[in-house]
Amino acid sequence: MDVDAYLDRLGVRRPAAADLATLRHLQERHLATVPFENLSIHLGEPVELTEAALFAKIVRRRRGGFCYELNGLFAALLRELGYSATLHAAKVFRPDGSLGPPLDHAAIVVELDEPWLVDVGFGRFSRHPLRLSGVDAQPDPDGEFLLLDTPDGDVDVLLDGEPQYRLERRPRPLADFVPMAWWQSTSPESHFTRSLTCSRPTSQGRVTLSGDKLIETVDGIRNEVLLPTEAAIRAAYRVYFGLPLKRLPTPPGGSPLTSGAPSPNTALT
């Protein structure tokens, strides 16, 4: 891995120490500069879960990705910088409170003085590392997080009292997520094939582009704008997300001027 190129993508210098303060800064910068997006699925591009392919996409081509891609590559960067960072599978809670399938999501656990949960691939989530063994609520710019042990040894992650996902404690290699990443990117039952989204946090809230719909949340106030032309959509990808797309992704069942429904694990407010 070209560590300096990755850090340049994030707009940070090579850190002097692999400590919690650096981890916090790296997570903030990753979330701010590398969008959560599923554009490859709607551009006809394969989703390849190898570090080389992810580096080429996210760093060289300056794109984003979804959980397996973003957390997969970020974990590799953290290891290059001297952290003990491992990938962990999670089941995502559905709106009805039921759990999704195993390996539905990938997150990172970093071992420092204690284990810390790091996640740059879940849409709206914590901007700072979360104490995996913490028993009290943990405040964050994006809400209040609570991590609760389950009877079978996993960890439930709640945001403002709402369950987000159930995290496994045992680590997994990136290759374990390949079958589910394929299903997520190809199955008509996957919310990623049925929606189009590109999203990142901002200093005052969040910005999301879904088809021709631009959604900005500033200080808790949500504003939606329909972009009238393909040129306006291209400009929004470039200005808000730094993505100079050669062609626009096509939302399910329509042209680039047809809004897609947002992914359920990408909160827009």
Side-chain angles (χ1 to χ4, degrees):
M1 177 184 291
D2 186 341
V3 172
D4 290 331
Y6 200 157
L7 294 176
D8 180 69
R9 171 80 169 95
L10 305 182
V12 301
R13 297 180 178 178
R14 185 180 283 264
D19 55 18
L20 180 59
T22 296
L23 180 64
R24 177 177 172 138
H25 182 56
L26 289 170
Q27 180 173 338
E28 289 177 327
R29 290 302 303 159
H30 207 290
L31 288 167
T33 58
V34 183
F36 177 94
E37 50 104 330
N38 66 340
L39 306 186
S40 288
I41 296 170
H42 303 284
L43 287 168
E45 301 171 350
V47 175
E48 298 182 50
L49 290 193
T50 66
E51 288 182 13
L54 296 179
F55 186 88
K57 177 182 180 180
I58 294 171
V59 179
R60 299 297 187 200
R61 292 164 50 202
R62 306 185 78 81
R63 284 280 303 279
F66 60 166
C67 65
Y68 313 116
E69 300 172 291
L70 299 178
N71 284 322
L73 192 63
F74 190 42
L77 172 67
L78 294 176
R79 289 191 290 269
E80 290 284 342
L81 294 174
Y83 289 97
S84 173
T86 52
L87 288 175
H88 292 247
K91 299 176 183 178
V92 177
F93 281 95
R94 300 187 179 104
D96 64 2
S98 63
L99 280 167
L103 298 136
D104 199 22
H105 178 61
I108 304 169
V109 172
V110 176
E111 292 285 347
L112 291 169
D113 56 326
E114 60 180 306
W116 294 82
L117 174 62
V118 174
D119 198 333
V120 295
F122 196 69
R124 183 192 171 199
F125 199 69
S126 69
R127 302 199 192 188
H128 302 148
L130 298 172
R131 301 166 79 168
L132 193 60
S133 57
V135 295
D136 298 321
Q138 302 180 53
D140 183 86
D142 266 346
E144 186 175 81
F145 288 84
L146 185 63
L147 278 63
L148 302 174
D149 290 338
T150 68
D152 57 2
D154 294 334
V155 179
D156 281 348
V157 182
L158 287 73
L159 168 57
D160 294 333
E162 296 294 326
Q164 302 299 300
Y165 58 71
R166 179 166 292 174
L167 184 76
E168 291 182 354
R169 286 192 178 271
R170 71 182 181 99
R172 290 181 178 267
L174 181 59
D176 278 9
F177 298 93
V178 170
M180 183 55 78
W182 176 83
W183 185 90
Q184 295 280 23
S185 61
T186 60
S187 172
E189 300 301 316
S190 166
H191 56 255
F192 288 109
T193 62
R194 292 185 281 112
S195 67
L196 174 62
T197 190
C198 184
S199 182
R200 69 173 183 84
T202 66
S203 60
Q204 296 175 301
R206 176 166 288 275
V207 59
T208 298
L209 182 57
S210 179
D212 59 352
K213 183 186 295 183
L214 182 66
I215 305 164
E216 288 188 90
T217 303
V218 179
D219 295 332
I221 299 175
R222 174 180 168 128
N223 183 50
E224 297 185 10
V225 176
L226 287 179
L227 303 178
T229 65
E230 291 192 11
I233 298 173
R234 289 180 187 274
Y237 276 119
R238 184 179 64 252
V239 171
Y240 289 96
F241 306 101
L243 302 181
L245 298 179
K246 294 181 179 179
R247 57 190 178 93
L248 292 178
T250 302
S255 73
L257 293 176
T258 304
S259 297
S263 166
N265 71 334
T266 309
L268 304 181
T269 57

